[in-house]
Amino acid sequence: MNTDELRRSVMAALASISHPGSGKDLIAGGHVQNLEVDENGVARFQFLLRPDDPTDLVKQVRTTVEVLDGITEVKLKVDLPQMAPAGGGGRQGGLKPGSVPAPTPKPGVLPDVRHVVAVSSGKGGVGKSMVAANLAAAVAGTGQRVGLLDADIYGPNIPLMFGVEKRPNVSGEKGNELIEPLEAHGVRLMSLGFLLDKEQPAIMRGPLISGVLKQFLQQVDWGQLDLLVVDMPPGTGDAQLSLVQTIDLDGAVMVTTPQDVSTGDVRRGVKMFERVNTRVLGIVENMSGLACPHCNEVVNVFGSGGGEALATEMELAFLGRIPLDPAVAQAGDSGAPTVVSAPNSSAAEALDGIANKVLDTVSVLRA
Ligand SMILES: Nc1ncnc2c1ncn2[C@@H]1O[C@H](COP(=O)(O)OP(=O)(O)O)[C@@H](O)[C@H]1O
Ligand SMILES: [Mg+2]
């Protein structure tokens, strides 16, 4: 089969799947864009996934194309359809059924950012923000330009961890505003919390975020960044998914604790990233043993090693373990991440090691 015939067979296969929302087939509904098949049988296309689409849809699309005769590989890029502008009453779910999104691929949301790494977890309270904050501060300490986006809409706390509480400045004309990140410890900070009314119930935040996220991100005046760290909302819901789809991530770091390894939350988290073709850079085990405040030796309290075993089993890198360390709790109060406030603590040493591994991985991925 020549490439034209292959392309037609891919189109036909995709046209046999009907979209669960609109009922139209995926081709007629405009869900598939820029489809190409090359002479090696590699099929490339964009798949426009709405945040309320079932997450298996991408998998179904992939397997349908993969099994076709003559197709050797499927490279699909999951994208969000064009969003209605904020304030216009539009949000993702408000897209009219069957309306065809703009066919031309848009430039990335963050064109001046070299690497974007998300820090994620299956559930809250495992130290995700702590890892994100220290990763950002450790890399900034090496002289790189680093940003940190607090995208945990359920518990935004990054500004507090950096000791900044003021709201960011907004400059520029109405409709064309630029939001200035706050800066502390060499890191440029921005929080989705600034978008949100404190009184807004958490359940409202997912839909609100998916509608205005891209616009918000494009209005942040990050300048040039070597690395942007994103503190994700915990879990695998719509808010997570729409973030992953809006920001072009290099990869994600999954944080877990010895107690949470077995719950399946981490696995679900890893699967979510894989489903949308985002690499999981590796697993971090936090609260892994207790660092003695007197001698710095790590005592195994709840057991440890589960994170590493899980990483091995899921064929992921193990990025390191961080002990429970009083220096981490104190850092929270001092408004500086542990690698800054207690650089010689056990936790800081572990965090530095993790930061190095993450940097190595992303620079290999995208030089
Ligand atoms: N290794 C650690 N040692 C001591 N305290 C920790 C450690 N990791 C996290 N904590 C504390 O646990 C709480 C939850 O951490 P946080 O980063 O806010 O979790 P998440 O973002 O996953 O909800 C915070 O008070 C933090 O200071
Ligand atoms: Mg947090």
Side-chain angles (χ1 to χ4, degrees):
M1 267 194 272
N2 66 31
T3 53
D4 274 348
E5 286 163 339
L6 278 174
R7 185 171 183 276
R8 275 197 294 276
S9 89
V10 174
M11 294 264 280
L14 292 171
S16 72
I17 303 177
S18 63
H19 184 263
S22 68
K24 289 196 180 185
D25 76 64
L26 295 182
I27 299 293
H31 299 275
V32 175
Q33 305 277 332
N34 303 317
L35 169 64
E36 281 171 29
V37 182
D38 70 14
E39 56 284 356
N40 299 318
V42 180
R44 290 188 177 79
F45 55 93
Q46 256 175 303
F47 186 73
L48 304 177
L49 185 75
R50 291 165 33 167
D52 46 359
D53 283 342
T55 43
D56 319 359
L57 191 58
V58 176
K59 198 171 173 188
Q60 191 190 351
V61 164
R62 172 181 284 285
T63 39
T64 303
V65 178
E66 251 165 14
V67 298
L68 295 174
D69 266 355
I71 296 297
T72 54
E73 199 184 343
V74 176
K75 292 195 169 170
L76 67 86
K77 186 169 187 317
V78 176
D79 264 325
L80 279 180
Q82 185 95 57
M83 291 186 206
R91 44 164 276 239
Q92 205 56 41
L95 207 74
K96 287 195 198 71
S99 64
V100 181
T104 40
K106 298 174 289 292
V109 191
L110 302 165
D112 293 331
V113 178
R114 281 183 68 202
H115 298 295
V116 186
V117 170
V119 181
S120 184
S121 65
K123 58 170 241 189
V126 300
K128 176 174 52 64
S129 300
M130 187 279 289
V131 170
N134 280 287
L135 177 58
V139 176
T142 67
Q144 310 226 40
R145 297 160 299 182
V146 180
L148 174 55
L149 175 67
D150 184 355
D152 187 349
I153 47 178
Y154 305 109
N157 54 4
I158 289 286
L160 218 68
M161 292 173 80
F162 278 75
V164 286
E165 270 175 275
K166 50 177 197 236
R167 291 180 71 84
N169 279 330
V170 176
S171 62
E173 311 262 294
K174 191 162 167 47
N176 226 343
E177 292 100 338
L178 275 181
I179 312 164
E180 295 302 321
L182 303 166
E183 186 155 348
H185 308 293
V187 178
R188 297 173 206 168
L189 305 165
M190 186 49 59
S191 174
L192 288 192
F194 295 134
L195 255 184
L196 302 166
D197 184 343
K198 280 223 171 63
E199 309 303 315
Q200 193 95 39
I203 196 161
M204 294 291 297
R205 297 181 174 196
L208 172 67
I209 287 301
S210 58
V212 294
L213 180 64
K214 191 167 202 158
Q215 192 190 13
F216 176 74
L217 290 176
Q218 284 172 329
Q219 284 181 321
V220 178
D221 187 14
W222 292 109
Q224 306 254 317
L225 290 183
D226 299 305
L227 175 69
L228 176 67
V229 178
V230 183
D231 183 11
M232 298 283 289
T236 49
D238 286 353
Q240 276 255 3
L241 205 60
S242 63
L243 263 165
V244 180
Q245 289 164 344
T246 306
I247 309 176
D248 186 16
L249 297 174
D250 287 62
V253 171
M254 291 295 300
V255 181
T256 186
T257 70
Q259 294 96 308
D260 294 309
V261 165
S262 57
T263 60
D265 291 341
V266 187
R267 257 175 244 272
R268 273 191 288 282
V270 168
K271 295 246 164 68
M272 178 195 75
F273 285 110
E274 285 175 349
R275 243 184 262 127
V276 290
N277 291 338
T278 298
R279 254 193 68 146
V280 175
L281 302 176
I283 291 180
V284 169
E285 185 176 288
N286 185 33
M287 309 192 186
S288 172
L290 173 73
C292 169
H294 307 295
C295 66
N296 253 359
E297 196 170 317
V298 175
V299 190
N300 230 326
V301 199
F302 303 116
S304 66
E308 187 162 15
L310 184 68
T312 308
E313 185 208 308
M314 298 197 82
E315 298 179 322
L316 296 171
F318 182 63
L319 299 171
R321 54 174 60 88
I322 308 156
L324 265 168
D325 189 332
V328 173
Q330 282 150 18
D333 299 334
S334 72
T338 314
V339 293
V340 175
S341 63
N344 298 320
S345 61
S346 306
E349 279 170 17
L351 286 158
D352 277 329
I354 291 165
N356 276 328
K357 282 204 178 154
V358 169
L359 273 188
D360 286 350
T361 321
V362 292
S363 26
V364 170
L365 285 179
R366 257 198 246 170

